[in-house]
Amino acid sequence: MFALDPQLAQDSFVIGDFTLCRLLLMNDSQYPWCILVPKRDGLREVYQLAATDRHLLVTESCLLAETMQHVLHADKINIAALGNVVPQLHLHHIARFTTDIAWPAPVWGKFPAQAYSPAQRTSRTQALCEALAHAGNFKPCQF
Amino acid sequence: MFALDPQLAQDSFVIGDFTLCRLLLMNDSQYPWCILVPKRDGLREVYQLAATDRHLLVTESCLLAETMQHVLHADKINIAALGNVVPQLHLHHIARFTTDIAWPAPVWGKFPAQAYSPAQRTSRTQALCEALAHAGNFKPCQF
C-alpha cells in the first residue's frame, strides 16, 4: 500500500495523480516546484523501477516539464532525483527564471522556503491542473 | 552533426558512448560524477527528445546509475538535468556517500572541483568501463 513519505507530506500539497506518480506542489512560493512520486513502495533509485514504470516515469516527467515551461513561461526546467535526505523515490521539477533569487544556482540549500498564501496556492495549483487536465492520464485532486 | 558543448568538454573526459548518449567523467575527484549527453543537436530539455530517445535515455541512465552504485558501493545516486549554465542537454549522475564532503547537500556550488591525478583518472575510468562493457550497448573509448 503506497504511502507518501511524512517529510514530503509536510513540505508539499498533493495536487493530483498520474498513472504512475502522485503530483505534489512544494510549499515554497519562491519557485514553481513540483514533485513526482512513483506510487511504488520501498524504492530509492529510478533504476529500481520495472521497465514499464521507467517508461511511464519519463512520459509523465516530460508532460509535467513541458506543461510547466509553457504555462509559466519558464526559462529552464530543473529535474532531479536526489533523495539524500528523504528516502522515498521522488523527482523534483522546478521552473526556473533568469530573474529568480537563486539563478543560475540549483535551488537546494539556497534560501529557506517561503510558504504560499492560500490565494497564491490556489492560483498556482489551478493553473497547473487546468493545463495538465488536457493530458488525459492526469486526475487532479478536488479542491 | 553532434558536437559537445565547449564547457562540458573542458570540465570532463569522454569515456565512451551508449546508443543515444556520450558518457563523460567530470574532472572532480571529490565525487564519482558522470554525465550523459544525448547525441542530438540543439536540445535543452528532456521533453524535447523524441519518444524513442526518451526511452533510450532512461534505459542508459538506469544502466549507468545501477552500475555506479554497485561498482562504487555508493549510498545514493543523484541524477539531475539542470542546464542553467551549460545549455546543451545533459544529465548528471553522481555517486554519493554519507562520508563525502558535501553530504547530504547536492554537490553543485559546494566545493571547487579537485582535478584527478592521471593515476586516479585511469583507475576510475577503467573500473567504470569494465563494468559497463557487459551491457552490450556501451562502447568505451580507447585509452
Side-chain angles (χ1 to χ4, degrees):
Chain A
M1 183 68 182
F2 172 75
L4 196 59
D5 176 277
Q7 186 72 51
L8 287 178
Q10 181 178 310
D11 295 344
S12 68
F13 312 108
V14 178
I15 61 175
D17 279 286
F18 290 100
T19 305
L20 176 65
C21 295
R22 186 145 296 165
L23 177 61
L24 314 178
L25 177 70
M26 276 285 278
N27 190 13
D28 186 347
S29 62
Q30 297 169 115
Y31 325 93
W33 182 340
C34 292
I35 297 180
L36 287 178
V37 186
K39 290 172 279 187
R40 301 287 184 261
D41 283 327
L43 304 187
R44 288 201 69 181
E45 303 285 350
V46 176
Y47 74 74
Q48 294 171 329
L49 289 165
T52 50
D53 282 351
R54 293 179 185 180
H55 291 171
L56 275 174
L57 180 65
V58 75
T59 299
E60 294 175 5
S61 170
C62 286
L63 177 63
L64 175 61
E66 186 167 8
T67 300
M68 289 177 76
Q69 188 156 34
H70 289 177
V71 168
L72 301 162
H73 307 289
D75 296 306
K76 188 73 191 73
I77 303 296
N78 289 176
I79 299 175
L82 303 177
N84 301 342
V85 177
V86 170
Q88 185 173 56
L89 178 60
H90 61 287
L91 264 73
H92 300 274
H93 291 68
I94 308 157
R96 302 299 309 274
F97 301 86
T98 57
T99 52
D100 73 40
I101 53 169
W103 182 268
V107 301
W108 301 277
K110 293 296 281 186
F111 298 97
Q114 301 286 332
Y116 283 102
S117 69
Q120 285 176 317
R121 173 188 166 184
T122 300
S123 168
R124 169 129 308 151
T125 303
Q126 285 186 341
L128 280 172
C129 284
E130 282 172 18
L132 289 168
H134 299 292
N137 62 345
F138 177 73
K139 290 184 185 171
C141 291
Q142 298 302 317
F143 296 102
Chain B
M1 183 67 182
F2 172 76
L4 197 58
D5 176 277
Q7 186 72 49
L8 287 178
Q10 181 178 310
D11 295 344
S12 68
F13 312 110
V14 178
I15 61 175
D17 279 285
F18 290 98
T19 305
L20 175 66
C21 295
R22 185 145 295 164
L23 177 61
L24 314 178
L25 177 69
M26 275 287 277
N27 190 13
D28 187 346
S29 62
Q30 298 171 115
Y31 324 93
W33 181 342
C34 292
I35 297 180
L36 287 178
V37 186
K39 290 173 279 186
R40 301 286 184 260
D41 283 326
L43 304 188
R44 288 202 69 183
E45 303 285 351
V46 175
Y47 73 74
Q48 295 171 328
L49 289 165
T52 51
D53 282 351
R54 292 179 187 181
H55 291 171
L56 275 174
L57 181 64
V58 75
T59 298
E60 294 174 6
S61 170
C62 286
L63 177 63
L64 175 61
E66 186 167 11
T67 300
M68 289 177 76
Q69 187 156 34
H70 289 177
V71 169
L72 301 162
H73 308 289
D75 296 307
K76 189 72 192 71
I77 304 295
N78 288 175
I79 300 176
L82 302 177
N84 301 343
V85 176
V86 171
Q88 185 173 56
L89 177 61
H90 61 286
L91 263 73
H92 301 274
H93 291 69
I94 308 157
R96 302 299 308 275
F97 301 87
T98 56
T99 53
D100 73 40
I101 53 169
W103 183 269
V107 301
W108 301 277
K110 293 296 282 185
F111 298 97
Q114 301 285 333
Y116 282 103
S117 70
Q120 284 177 317
R121 173 187 166 185
T122 300
S123 168
R124 171 130 304 152
T125 303
Q126 285 185 344
L128 280 172
C129 284
E130 281 172 19
L132 290 168
H134 300 290
N137 60 345
F138 177 72
K139 291 184 184 173
C141 291
Q142 297 301 317
F143 297 100

